[in-house]
Amino acid sequence: MTIMNTRLDPLEYYTEKDWSAMMAEAKKYETPFLLVNLGIIRQRYQQLKELFPYAVVHYAVKANPSQPVLELLQGLGSNFDVASINELDSLLALGVLPDRISYGNTIKKRAHVEYAYAKGIRLFASDSEVDIRNLASAAPGSGIFLRILAEHSSTADWPLSKKFGCHPDMAIDLLMLANKLGLKAKGVSFHVGSQQREIGAWDSSISRAKYIFDYLEAEKIPLSLINMGGGFPASYISRTPEMSTYASELNRYLSEDFGENLPHIILEPGRSLVADAGILVTEVVLISKKSSFGVDTWLYTDAGKFNGLMETMEESIKYPLFCESAGRLVEDFIIAGPTCDSQDIMYETFRNPLPRHIDIGDRIYWLTAGAYTSSYSSVGFNGFPPIASHFMES
Ligand SMILES: Cc1ncc(COP(=O)(O)O)c(C=O)c1O
């Protein structure tokens, strides 16, 4: 058992100004809830634009689809990437023009392709022949980027490989088919895995894209676009290089492969724009032991896997936890959610240190929780409502 004397310092994650404003705001609401500081999203977006001046940002709506977040990013000039026609509808309802939206999900019903096309969407991702044929007939003349399989899934905290993308040789065949069927074969996309800690993951995917570009150039089908996906980091317990290091390395990979002839570059960040802006505020419901001599202590909070903390699945995302109560920290606690489901355990192997004398009713703040929390929350499992979101700007 590790005993530590100091509690987690939130100022390693937030500026003093942001943190004190967020703590003051959090006092107003009953737990559990997500508090999103829109000012932090604004900063992250501006930083990304400064670091990648040549790229067009398509915010991945799935990370946090709430209206204030979409409105903010719309106002900042962001484009958007949607996974479904429902995400598309939310953007159109806000007045986002269809030429600022890409349909990035490679898995889609033909009826949804028709719907998106009727609404004006002209840029789609694909990775299969059936989808290409659907797009050719239901979204004629649209621009297509072909998603390729990406390596390095083991260094991403939330891998996205395997299910999406295809081998580069198949991507070549599909782009040629798209071209033959009257679609615009625009280029290549990949996603190296969310919260990708190994920057080199982009290197191999950019090289694969270059191979595809060269091949199709020789076939007189010039490509013009690389969509480098998301994967950029947020500040969880396992630290990553700075965003500026990601940018300088990616710039280097691109110029090594493409020199002066840089294609159009799209980025599709989700997590890196919104995660740091959110804190999930929970309360301790119960603390108990399973036997009188057991060393482990079970600590149950009022939010769990089914109302906000899905990304603790397989203990993948390790949120920094903060408690106001002082005192020695211990790693005795197995942390679980409130539902009657035994999957609703957030951390059992990974032990997040908590104050030894933490008590029922104390608040636990899950930092860096602005991404994939509210959007992953169930609609009412065990009667617990979806996690509430509150918004502020400091
Ligand atoms: C197609 C696509 N683009 C972008 C993203 C956003 O990735 P991230 O949250 O790692 O930035 C995802 C995440 O699932 C995705 O599936």
Side-chain angles (χ1 to χ4, degrees), residues 8 44 93 173 298-299 302 308 349 366 368:
L8 177 135
R44 294 294 181 276
D173 291 344
W298 285 74
L299 182 149
D302 56 4
T349 308
W366 301 66
T368 320

mmCIF file of all heavy atoms in Angstrom, residues 8 44 93 173 298-299 302 308 349 366 368:
data_model
loop_
_atom_site.group_PDB
_atom_site.id
_atom_site.type_symbol
_atom_site.label_atom_id
_atom_site.label_comp_id
_atom_site.label_asym_id
_atom_site.label_seq_id
_atom_site.Cartn_x
_atom_site.Cartn_y
_atom_site.Cartn_z
ATOM 1 N N LEU A 8 -3.722 15.579 -4.623
ATOM 2 C CA LEU A 8 -3.489 16.029 -5.999
ATOM 3 C C LEU A 8 -3.630 17.551 -6.070
ATOM 4 O O LEU A 8 -4.539 18.120 -5.460
ATOM 5 C CB LEU A 8 -4.523 15.352 -6.901
ATOM 6 C CG LEU A 8 -4.488 15.737 -8.367
ATOM 7 C CD1 LEU A 8 -4.591 14.496 -9.223
ATOM 8 C CD2 LEU A 8 -5.615 16.705 -8.693
ATOM 9 N N ARG A 44 -8.095 26.223 -26.082
ATOM 10 C CA ARG A 44 -7.577 25.035 -26.791
ATOM 11 C C ARG A 44 -7.761 25.178 -28.305
ATOM 12 O O ARG A 44 -6.903 24.791 -29.083
ATOM 13 C CB ARG A 44 -8.292 23.758 -26.322
ATOM 14 C CG ARG A 44 -8.028 23.379 -24.872
ATOM 15 C CD ARG A 44 -6.574 22.985 -24.650
ATOM 16 N NE ARG A 44 -6.352 22.609 -23.258
ATOM 17 C CZ ARG A 44 -6.111 23.458 -22.254
ATOM 18 N NH1 ARG A 44 -6.013 24.754 -22.484
ATOM 19 N NH2 ARG A 44 -5.927 23.018 -21.025
ATOM 20 N N ALA A 93 -29.425 22.978 -37.065
ATOM 21 C CA ALA A 93 -30.358 23.784 -36.257
ATOM 22 C C ALA A 93 -29.675 25.038 -35.713
ATOM 23 O O ALA A 93 -30.332 26.043 -35.435
ATOM 24 C CB ALA A 93 -30.913 22.936 -35.117
ATOM 25 N N ASP A 173 -7.755 0.728 -54.279
ATOM 26 C CA ASP A 173 -8.818 0.157 -55.126
ATOM 27 C C ASP A 173 -10.124 0.930 -54.947
ATOM 28 O O ASP A 173 -10.838 1.215 -55.914
ATOM 29 C CB ASP A 173 -9.065 -1.315 -54.756
ATOM 30 C CG ASP A 173 -7.889 -2.199 -55.151
ATOM 31 O OD1 ASP A 173 -7.052 -1.735 -55.956
ATOM 32 O OD2 ASP A 173 -7.797 -3.333 -54.637
ATOM 33 N N TRP A 298 -14.441 -0.361 -0.393
ATOM 34 C CA TRP A 298 -15.253 0.007 -1.560
ATOM 35 C C TRP A 298 -15.827 1.395 -1.332
ATOM 36 O O TRP A 298 -16.396 1.661 -0.264
ATOM 37 C CB TRP A 298 -16.378 -1.005 -1.771
ATOM 38 C CG TRP A 298 -15.876 -2.292 -2.341
ATOM 39 C CD1 TRP A 298 -15.176 -3.251 -1.684
ATOM 40 C CD2 TRP A 298 -16.005 -2.738 -3.699
ATOM 41 N NE1 TRP A 298 -14.853 -4.278 -2.537
ATOM 42 C CE2 TRP A 298 -15.359 -3.990 -3.784
ATOM 43 C CE3 TRP A 298 -16.605 -2.214 -4.842
ATOM 44 C CZ2 TRP A 298 -15.289 -4.718 -4.973
ATOM 45 C CZ3 TRP A 298 -16.546 -2.946 -6.023
ATOM 46 C CH2 TRP A 298 -15.888 -4.179 -6.086
ATOM 47 N N LEU A 299 -15.653 2.230 -2.352
ATOM 48 C CA LEU A 299 -16.180 3.592 -2.263
ATOM 49 C C LEU A 299 -17.093 3.801 -3.473
ATOM 50 O O LEU A 299 -16.667 3.630 -4.614
ATOM 51 C CB LEU A 299 -15.008 4.581 -2.273
ATOM 52 C CG LEU A 299 -15.360 6.052 -2.130
ATOM 53 C CD1 LEU A 299 -14.229 6.792 -1.425
ATOM 54 C CD2 LEU A 299 -15.608 6.698 -3.487
ATOM 55 N N ASP A 302 -21.915 8.867 -6.765
ATOM 56 C CA ASP A 302 -23.233 8.989 -7.404
ATOM 57 C C ASP A 302 -23.166 9.101 -8.925
ATOM 58 O O ASP A 302 -24.196 9.247 -9.579
ATOM 59 C CB ASP A 302 -24.082 10.119 -6.782
ATOM 60 C CG ASP A 302 -23.399 11.473 -6.799
ATOM 61 O OD1 ASP A 302 -22.284 11.581 -7.352
ATOM 62 O OD2 ASP A 302 -23.967 12.430 -6.250
ATOM 63 N N GLY A 308 -21.661 8.886 -17.092
ATOM 64 C CA GLY A 308 -20.567 9.829 -17.316
ATOM 65 C C GLY A 308 -19.183 9.209 -17.411
ATOM 66 O O GLY A 308 -18.315 9.750 -18.076
ATOM 67 N N THR A 349 -8.083 -2.261 -10.248
ATOM 68 C CA THR A 349 -6.646 -2.541 -10.307
ATOM 69 C C THR A 349 -5.868 -1.241 -10.118
ATOM 70 O O THR A 349 -4.954 -1.156 -9.303
ATOM 71 C CB THR A 349 -6.297 -3.142 -11.687
ATOM 72 O OG1 THR A 349 -7.166 -4.234 -11.908
ATOM 73 C CG2 THR A 349 -4.858 -3.597 -11.724
ATOM 74 N N TRP A 366 -13.708 14.831 -10.626
ATOM 75 C CA TRP A 366 -13.011 14.097 -11.684
ATOM 76 C C TRP A 366 -12.547 15.138 -12.698
ATOM 77 O O TRP A 366 -13.372 15.724 -13.420
ATOM 78 C CB TRP A 366 -13.941 13.076 -12.341
ATOM 79 C CG TRP A 366 -14.496 12.059 -11.373
ATOM 80 C CD1 TRP A 366 -15.350 12.298 -10.333
ATOM 81 C CD2 TRP A 366 -14.233 10.664 -11.343
ATOM 82 N NE1 TRP A 366 -15.625 11.137 -9.659
ATOM 83 C CE2 TRP A 366 -14.953 10.114 -10.262
ATOM 84 C CE3 TRP A 366 -13.461 9.798 -12.142
ATOM 85 C CZ2 TRP A 366 -14.932 8.754 -9.957
ATOM 86 C CZ3 TRP A 366 -13.448 8.447 -11.839
ATOM 87 C CH2 TRP A 366 -14.162 7.940 -10.759
ATOM 88 N N THR A 368 -10.521 16.911 -15.952
ATOM 89 C CA THR A 368 -10.318 16.581 -17.374
ATOM 90 C C THR A 368 -11.453 15.687 -17.890
ATOM 91 O O THR A 368 -11.231 14.693 -18.578
ATOM 92 C CB THR A 368 -8.950 15.885 -17.593
ATOM 93 O OG1 THR A 368 -7.985 16.517 -16.767
ATOM 94 C CG2 THR A 368 -8.480 15.986 -19.023
#
